Amino acid sequence: MKRNLFRIFVAFAAFFFAAQPADAQFGNILKKVTKTLDTVSKKDAKIKRTDPAASKDMPPQFIGTTTTSESGATVINPFAKDVDIQLVGAYGKSTSENYGTVTLVLKVKMIADKSRIGLGGVGDFPNSDLRSVTMFVDQDGESYTPDGGTTSDSFDVSEGVYVKLKLDGTYTRFENVKKTAKVMQVLKLGLYVDAAIRGYITMKNVPIQWDVEP
């Protein structure tokens, strides 16, 4: 790169010295050299910022397995080897003319030998800075979180058997949701099984069924 630039500078010098007075020649060459170096510097800076070696690859265990429900919603589960999670639906119950409460219904089957699972609150992955509070964003960009804070609700589950769970606890229930919310564009649900199996489940394009019983 530097050798090519030097040749370009020499060519510029030969041309301008032949066509212009000495002072003008030097000034013009200096301007062009400065501009060229600035361009090279910007390109080098861009290369450094986008160098793949400078970024960390996503740990394979956090990439997740994606499944699609009958409604067309997708569930991204980074813990599929430990727990099978299927979406039954998202259900809204009116509390006023314009607002209501939204709850999720899931089917959960443990693959790991565990009998309790925590859902809701904050999901943070072990040995990683990946974390998210339980929340969803509707089709209009409105975001909602449970009022319970960072703790999760605990549920009884069983190894090898699907258990239907209604997430209607303090840390999983979404309150004061506008009834204009028809679809959860994205939902992040905290999950805790043990110190090694923890983080969050992601769901996308989940329809909200208002005033319908699960």
Side-chain angles (χ1 to χ4, degrees), residues 33-186:
V33 168
T34 302
K35 183 176 180 181
T36 302
L37 291 176
D38 285 344
T39 301
V40 173
S41 177
K42 290 177 181 178
K43 288 182 178 179
D44 288 343
K46 184 176 181 180
I47 291 172
K48 290 177 183 177
R49 287 195 298 271
T50 58
D51 184 3
S55 61
K56 296 181 180 179
D57 291 332
M58 180 73 73
Q61 66 269 31
F62 295 161
I63 293 176
T65 298
T66 301
T67 58
T68 304
S69 69
E70 293 182 0
S71 66
T74 56
V75 178
I76 304 170
N77 179 9
F79 311 101
K81 64 183 181 64
D82 300 300
V83 55
D84 184 356
I85 297 179
Q86 296 188 12
L87 173 69
V88 176
Y91 301 88
K93 182 177 181 180
S94 299
T95 54
S96 71
E97 184 177 351
N98 297 310
Y99 292 87
T101 299
V102 174
T103 58
L104 291 171
V105 177
L106 307 176
K107 289 196 302 182
V108 176
K109 178 177 70 174
M110 294 305 302
I111 299 169
D113 183 14
K114 302 289 183 179
S115 59
R116 299 285 289 176
I117 188 173
L119 295 169
V122 174
D124 60 330
F125 289 83
N127 304 315
S128 172
D129 58 359
L130 291 175
R131 70 194 307 269
S132 176
V133 297
T134 294
M135 55 84 71
F136 82 83
V137 180
D138 72 9
Q139 78 282 350
D140 296 322
E142 297 280 353
S143 61
Y144 300 91
T145 58
D147 293 334
T150 60
T151 309
S152 60
D153 288 320
S154 185
F155 298 88
D156 291 320
V157 287
S158 179
E159 181 185 1
V161 177
Y162 281 108
V163 178
K164 192 173 182 180
L165 304 179
K166 184 177 182 180
L167 278 55
D168 195 22
T170 304
Y171 309 109
T172 51
R173 181 177 59 244
F174 298 95
E175 299 180 340
N176 298 316
V177 177
K178 293 180 180 178
K179 292 174 65 176
T180 55
K182 304 299 182 184
V183 176
M184 296 176 171
Q185 287 193 85
V186 63

